[in-house]
Amino acid sequence: MAERAPHGAVASQRHDGILVLTIDNPPVNALSADVRRGLADAIQAAQDDASVQAVLLVGAGRNFIAGADIREFGKPPQPPALPDVCNAIEASAKPVVAALHGAALGGGLEIALAAHYRIALPGARLGLPEVNLGLLPGAGGTQRAPRLAGAAAALDLMLSGRHASAEEALSLGLVDRLDSGADALAAGLAYARELLAQGAAPRRTRDATAALADRAAAQAAIDAARAQVEARARGLFSPAKIIDAVQAALDQPFDAGLRTERALFLQCLDSPQRAGLVHAFFAERETAKAPETRAAQPRPLERLGVVGGGTMGAGIAVAMLDAGLPVVMVEQDDAALARGRARVEQVYDLLIKKGRLDAAGKAERMARYRGATSYDALADADLIVEAVFEDMDVKTAVFAALDRVAKPGAVLASNTSYLDIDRIAAATRRPADVLGLHFFSPANIMKLLEVVVGGRSAPDTVATGFELARRLRKVPVRAGVCDGFIANRILAVHRQAAELMMEDGASPYQIDDAVRAFGYPMGPYQMTDLAGGDIGWATRKRRAATRDPQLRYVQIADRLCERGWFGQKTGRGFYLYPDGARTGTPDPEVLAIIDAERQRAGITPRAFDQEEIQRRYLAAMINEAANVVREGIALRPLDVDVAFLYGYGFPRHRGGPMHYADQVGLPRILADIREFAPQDPHFWKPAPLLVELAESGRTFASLNHA
Ligand code: 3H9
């Protein structure tokens, strides 16, 4: 790690004939205007100073440079532009060396590629992740990376946005050598001295030809990438532009290629997808900072417990074991415990089969797993997650038992999906230690963790929930207590909108198509079939007595469940899955059942087009989300956005439902709801917050910084 420079965003320091430029712009050395200016001025000064023989670029703190300053996008550009800074570095008459440690990403890697020589330290992460922000590398990266690493490797990095290790970067030709130490300055100076001793001259990436010499191979890589993007990139804008830019690297002289890259970059910068993706980037960092995380320190988290070895309990245990933590799982008897353990092992066995884990990895994890049939085994756990049957009496009994055995200060969490945390907490003598930790299924894979804060949850209890999320690499979203919290409560409403459309004339296949066309990986009926129709059926039956009698209740899904058609696991649901197929095919019998249900309900079906399906689905979602924000269940609109991006696969390039609503315009969403209301006035009730914002010309975003 390099020392922080004492002053300025770019500090200059002489080490004999080597001018060391230290980029120092906490927290991640993003290339803000003052960094760009500092670099441009210092490179110019080096040219004018006869005593400077070489220039060394290093980053202060934990990273080299994390890229362009994302906060500047969408604001008026300030000179100098990053491509010009890179070109000035490349044009230097004195050799420029970059010593990379930590993140060398995006514009940071582009600076390094413009330098003449590169050395990387262990742990360095090199990447061109602009695609994740709806952009392409716009400071020469699309022209220089292929010239060093070839078209195939450069495309892979730019289209995946992944980070390459120092070792991989060396093998790709992106860096010239590795250092084994931990000091970027020392490694860079030693390399620069060695180069000077050899009389090394500037070596410009723009002139490199070897990696693109086999033009046929490069063209084949471009064609293959294009085919793959067309097949997979569901409406994304920037991947195709990245490929166009690499095509220019192959076809055009360097300076013309840079101009092409610039034009394509500006198109991406202007796109709503860029705005959505940048919103998502900041929103997911913001949700991790709940008020309680500022107000209190988390409690220790060394030993964990899970009550319940069902699908959720086992998934939660896996997530904890994967994070390197020891876990005690408690079940009521030996048979249930054996099933719980088997579920945990099953996850690892599947990973081994897929080649993503080895036997030693499984053994290491299972060595931290302990099963027990007595609550006493949880006596020294710092945090215990209850994941038993979704029933208030069962849950309160578990919490009363936990209250008896848990040590003072242990955090007691319920994984309930919709039950009242305050009532659960009241079953203990320590409600301040109780909160909800709502994992999504499969719990070891899904990133979202709703941290449900009860009326009496202590700030450090909540901070511990957020700390657990950090350790498990989950994305935490703070939620208040209500039926379904943030994600499930809103889901229930827009799922209802889908049910109404289905009974009114849209087929489930049409609805799934429309939702996929919007950018979701799958539609609601595919999701039901995947999760198992019996789960929703059980919930509907449990809630039948408390259902609002004024709301239309669509029974189609019940008719399928009564036949035992629970989706993929039974071979049929809304779709048919012959011979264990993973992708369903439409089922004419389902359509006949839907027809019969329409007749029973006295409904004459009408036609729906894709646009109307999308408008209804999203308006229902946004309207309920507005209620969730107004009631303080979600702290801000951005918390809803993050819950939907990570809980249900809302298309990230649309930023989340609230960001999307702002893009469309709140008056239009409100007009949609008012248009739909006459048919189902009990369902379509404009949310007061939506009305207030739309009528005062404000946006959901205006509440994000409140
Ligand atoms: C680009 O380079 C375009 C060019 O090709 C062309 C230009 C012409 N800017 O993630 P963390 C903030 S596009 C501004 O929690 P970590 C972040 O918001 C860019 N701010 O830390 C947070 O702020 P706060 C391509 C940034 O250690 C704080 O830094 N580069 C930027 O877990 C800490 O962040 C990327 O896409 C930024 N570029 O992870 C890389 N980056 O404390 C994006 C971070 O107020 N960054 N912040 O919440 C990352 O992937 C991770 O931040 C990184 C560190 C791996 C670097």
Side-chain angles (χ1 to χ4, degrees), residues 40-88:
D41 290 350
I43 290 289
Q44 182 58 48
Q47 310 306 307
D48 301 340
D49 183 341
S51 67
V52 171
Q53 293 173 283
V55 178
L56 171 63
L57 303 175
V58 292
R62 286 167 47 204
N63 301 300
F64 177 64
I65 301 171
D69 185 343
I70 302 170
R71 290 178 209 274
E72 287 182 357
F73 296 152
K75 295 185 186 155
Q78 284 190 56
L82 190 57
D84 296 338
V85 177
C86 289
N87 292 341

Side-chain angles (χ1 to χ4, degrees), residues 97-446:
V97 178
L100 313 180
H101 79 293
L105 300 175
L109 182 56
E110 292 176 291
I111 293 259
L113 298 181
H116 304 140
Y117 300 93
R118 287 159 292 278
I119 181 166
L121 271 70
R125 289 182 289 163
L126 289 77
L128 294 167
E130 285 86 346
V131 70
N132 296 330
L133 301 171
L135 291 169
L136 51 83
T142 65
Q143 307 303 298
R144 290 191 180 96
R147 279 174 165 79
L148 288 179
L155 280 165
D156 168 48
L157 280 181
M158 290 189 271
L159 291 172
S160 69
R162 70 184 178 84
H163 301 173
S165 65
E167 292 76 14
E168 186 188 356
L170 178 72
S171 74
L172 293 177
L174 291 175
V175 298
D176 303 298
R177 70 160 64 174
L178 299 186
D179 186 82
S180 55
D183 185 341
L185 176 63
L189 280 174
Y191 187 34
R193 288 194 179 110
E194 193 184 313
L195 288 165
L196 286 176
Q198 292 166 1
R203 186 195 52 173
R204 301 191 171 90
T205 304
R206 58 180 290 148
D207 301 327
T209 51
L212 291 180
D214 185 344
R215 297 183 59 82
Q219 190 58 55
I222 293 172
D223 294 344
R226 202 178 290 282
Q228 207 174 49
V229 160
E230 275 164 16
R232 289 207 202 142
R234 285 198 313 268
L236 285 180
F237 185 75
S238 79
K241 304 292 165 189
I242 288 172
I243 296 172
D244 291 347
V246 174
Q247 185 73 59
L250 193 63
D251 296 346
Q252 299 174 1
F254 185 77
D255 290 319
L258 280 187
R259 284 194 294 276
T260 301
E261 177 195 83
R262 184 72 189 158
L264 294 166
F265 177 79
L266 291 177
Q267 289 177 24
C268 294
L269 193 64
D270 274 347
S271 75
Q273 295 193 357
R274 191 275 306 158
L277 289 163
V278 168
H279 170 75
F281 177 88
F282 287 118
E284 73 191 34
R285 283 166 175 75
E286 221 36 62
T287 57
K289 301 175 200 153
E292 291 86 353
T293 63
R294 300 179 206 267
Q297 289 297 317
R299 299 180 190 175
L301 270 181
E302 300 308 323
R303 281 180 290 270
L304 304 181
V306 174
V307 182
T311 308
M312 281 314 285
I316 294 167
V318 169
M320 292 167 166
L321 293 169
D322 285 348
L325 293 158
V327 178
V328 176
M329 175 186 278
V330 171
E331 256 295 357
Q332 41 191 345
D333 54 43
D334 287 334
L337 186 60
R339 285 195 297 275
R341 184 188 170 106
R343 285 192 186 97
V344 172
E345 293 208 46
Q346 223 171 37
V347 172
Y348 291 134
D349 291 340
L350 196 67
L351 287 177
I352 291 175
K353 217 171 107 187
K354 288 184 185 163
R356 304 224 306 261
L357 185 75
D358 57 16
K362 176 183 169 188
E364 185 270 320
R365 286 166 175 77
M366 291 310 294
R368 279 183 277 106
Y369 169 95
R370 193 154 66 85
T373 51
S374 160
Y375 282 100
D376 294 337
L378 297 169
D380 64 355
D382 297 312
L383 179 144
I384 303 163
V385 181
E386 162 277 311
V388 303
F389 188 61
E390 193 75 344
D391 177 275
M392 185 55 88
D393 293 340
V394 179
K395 302 252 186 210
T396 48
V398 169
F399 273 76
L402 291 178
D403 191 23
R404 282 193 293 278
V405 299
K407 67 181 182 186
V411 170
L412 309 181
S414 172
N415 177 53
T416 178
S417 313
Y418 59 86
L419 295 176
D420 184 345
I421 296 293
D422 293 328
R423 279 184 60 199
I424 295 175
T428 72
R429 289 159 300 170
R430 40 174 129 180
D433 296 341
V434 177
L435 83 170
L437 288 177
H438 181 210
F439 290 81
F440 288 70
S441 186
N444 56 314
I445 292 173
M446 294 296 288

